[in-house]
């Protein structure tokens, strides 16, 4: 293993901050986004988030001594706090969902814990450290899309779950470079991450989120109604495009997780977040 100079690529005007907002979900409607397809996709993500974010935190904590740059180390510590808060809140929303009849969530949680624990047992060090960077690829992609296409997702609805998603999306965008920088500072290999993403994590992520989404859509009998079929297929196609976008950019020498558009979107979303 060759050690290279660690380097945080998070822009100077992005201050990674562990916010602790309080959300009250009592009045949240069952279909809290513009339609059941998008709502249940976000619900499916929520099911996977607590254990995924716990795994990210465990891996970053375990490897903390490998990161030498003070700025990057500080960002990792704040990321751990952010992910801890996200996981706690998603555990709460998952409990609410399970309490409203979606008890299959408990089964999916168990499967995820078993499979991911097994995978970590057989992982090499490099594969394990690439895992948080791979997860962040997906959370950053969804967050960027949610914040920049709010009308597509919400159809101008307002409720606590939407506000909660804005908070999570903002912090995911904010720390999007951290796990990538951490991985890169240790391994500095431009090909491993795109390879893991394309061959393993993209199929795993797509299959797991779409399976859980399908469970929700089955419970609500949405999937049996032909009027939703075209929208459902379109949504799946849009998601696959979104998740796979940029995977091969990681192999470019000039690659940086932050684009100028990301910075603009971040500042705009931060401003909006401050207002609430
Ligand atoms: Fe998160
Ligand atoms: Fe994250």
């Amino acid at each position: 293993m060759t050690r290279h100079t660690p380097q945080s690529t998070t822009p100077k005007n992005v201050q990674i901050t562990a916010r602790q907002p309080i959300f009250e979900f009592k009045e949240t409607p069952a279909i809290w986004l513009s339609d059941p397809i998008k709502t249940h996709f976000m619900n499916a993500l929520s099911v996977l988030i607590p254990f995924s974010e716990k795994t990210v935190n465990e891996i970053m904590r375990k490897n903390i001594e490998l990161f030498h740059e003070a700025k990057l180390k500080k960002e990792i510590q704040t990321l751990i706090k952010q992910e801890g808060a996200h996981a706690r809140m998603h555990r709460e929303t998952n409990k609410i969902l399970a309490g409203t009849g979606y008890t299959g969530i408990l089964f999916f949680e168990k499967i995820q814990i078993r499979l991911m624990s097994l995978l970590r047992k057989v992982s090499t060090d490099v594969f394990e450290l690439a895992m948080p960077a791979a997860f962040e690829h997906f959370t950053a992609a969804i967050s960027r899309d949610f914040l920049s296409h709010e009308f597509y997702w919400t159809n101008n609805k307002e409720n606590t779950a939407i506000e909660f998603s804005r908070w999570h999306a903002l912090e995911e965008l904010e720390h999007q470079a951290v796990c990538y920088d951490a991985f890169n500072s240790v391994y500095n290999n431009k090909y491993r991450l795109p390879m893991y993403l394309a061959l393993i994590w993209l199929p795993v992520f797509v299959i797991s989120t779409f399976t859980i989404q399908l469970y929700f859509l089955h419970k609500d009998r949405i999937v049996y109604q032909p009027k939703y079929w075209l929208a459902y297929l379109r949504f799946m196609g849009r998601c696959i495009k979104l998740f796979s976008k940029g995977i091969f950019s990681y192999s470019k020498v000039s690659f940086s997780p932050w684009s100028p558009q990301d910075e603009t979107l971040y500042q705009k979303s931060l401003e909006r977040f401050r207002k609430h």
Side-chain angles (χ1 to χ4, degrees):
M1 186 178 76
T2 316
R3 193 164 288 162
H4 298 265
T5 311
Q7 197 183 20
S8 157
T9 63
T10 299
K12 279 193 189 81
N13 56 356
V14 174
Q15 188 66 44
I16 302 177
T17 310
R19 303 162 187 86
Q20 303 279 340
I22 295 165
F23 297 103
E24 179 53 72
F25 293 99
K26 263 185 201 157
E27 306 294 319
T28 306
I31 302 306
W32 55 274
L33 284 172
S34 66
D35 60 50
I37 295 161
K38 290 170 198 136
T39 299
H40 289 321
F41 171 78
M42 284 299 191
N43 288 341
L45 270 188
S46 183
V47 172
L48 295 167
I49 281 171
F51 195 72
S52 303
E53 296 196 329
K54 184 174 177 273
T55 304
V56 167
N57 282 358
E58 276 177 14
I59 296 171
M60 299 318 279
R61 273 199 202 100
K62 183 182 151 187
N63 291 287
I64 197 81
E65 296 308 321
L66 298 177
F67 315 120
H68 301 293
E69 192 193 47
K71 183 176 182 271
L72 179 60
K73 212 165 182 167
K74 199 167 163 254
E75 287 169 357
I76 293 170
Q77 282 155 346
T78 314
L79 170 137
I80 291 172
K81 283 187 197 151
Q82 287 185 329
E83 299 295 34
H86 303 163
R88 264 195 309 281
M89 292 300 298
H90 278 277
R91 241 174 252 126
E92 208 177 290
T93 58
N94 294 346
K95 247 188 232 166
I96 297 171
L97 284 170
T100 54
Y102 302 107
T103 48
I105 288 176
L106 308 170
F107 167 77
F108 289 118
E109 283 174 346
K110 265 188 208 153
I111 297 275
Q112 184 200 17
I113 292 171
R114 282 219 190 130
L115 292 181
M116 279 185 47
S117 306
L118 188 70
L119 188 64
R120 278 194 63 197
K121 266 188 202 149
V122 298
S123 291
T124 57
D125 288 349
V126 58
F127 183 79
E128 190 181 66
L129 195 57
M131 226 186 255
F135 291 172
E136 295 295 319
H137 168 84
F138 300 114
T139 53
I142 297 161
S143 300
R144 206 178 282 125
D145 197 70
F146 187 82
L147 294 172
S148 59
H149 296 84
E150 266 211 21
F151 183 75
Y152 169 78
W153 287 95
T154 67
N155 198 19
N156 284 347
K157 274 188 186 178
E158 278 300 340
N159 56 58
T160 309
I162 289 174
E163 193 56 13
F164 171 60
S165 306
R166 277 191 197 118
W167 163 67
H168 195 168
L170 176 81
E171 294 196 352
E172 288 304 323
L173 187 64
E174 193 173 68
H175 72 222
Q176 63 165 328
V178 178
C179 295
Y180 168 80
D181 290 341
F183 175 77
N184 210 35
S185 74
V186 179
Y187 292 103
N188 197 21
N189 182 313
K190 295 277 180 192
Y191 297 99
R192 284 197 186 258
L193 187 59
M195 186 177 80
Y196 295 153
L197 275 167
L199 298 179
I200 299 166
W201 292 115
L202 178 65
V204 167
F205 186 74
V206 166
I207 292 167
S208 52
T209 46
F210 285 175
T211 303
I212 304 174
Q213 180 196 28
L214 185 62
Y215 159 75
F216 280 107
L217 294 172
H218 150 75
K219 283 290 278 185
D220 281 7
R221 318 311 287 172
I222 297 294
V223 78
Y224 305 107
Q225 297 176 46
K227 66 172 181 175
Y228 287 110
W229 291 352
L230 187 62
Y232 184 34
L233 286 176
R234 273 197 189 138
F235 180 80
M236 285 202 283
R238 189 180 184 275
C239 281
I240 292 169
K241 216 170 131 191
L242 186 66
F243 303 155
S244 41
K245 196 179 161 200
I247 285 185
F248 295 103
S249 305
Y250 290 106
S251 60
K252 288 182 191 154
V253 179
S254 60
F255 175 77
S256 167
W258 281 87
S259 68
Q261 294 94 310
D262 284 355
E263 287 196 51
T264 310
L265 177 66
Y266 171 72
Q267 293 301 340
K268 199 176 139 217
S269 307
L270 188 66
E271 201 46 53
R272 184 184 177 126
F273 186 80
R274 279 197 195 110
K275 283 184 204 160
H276 287 272

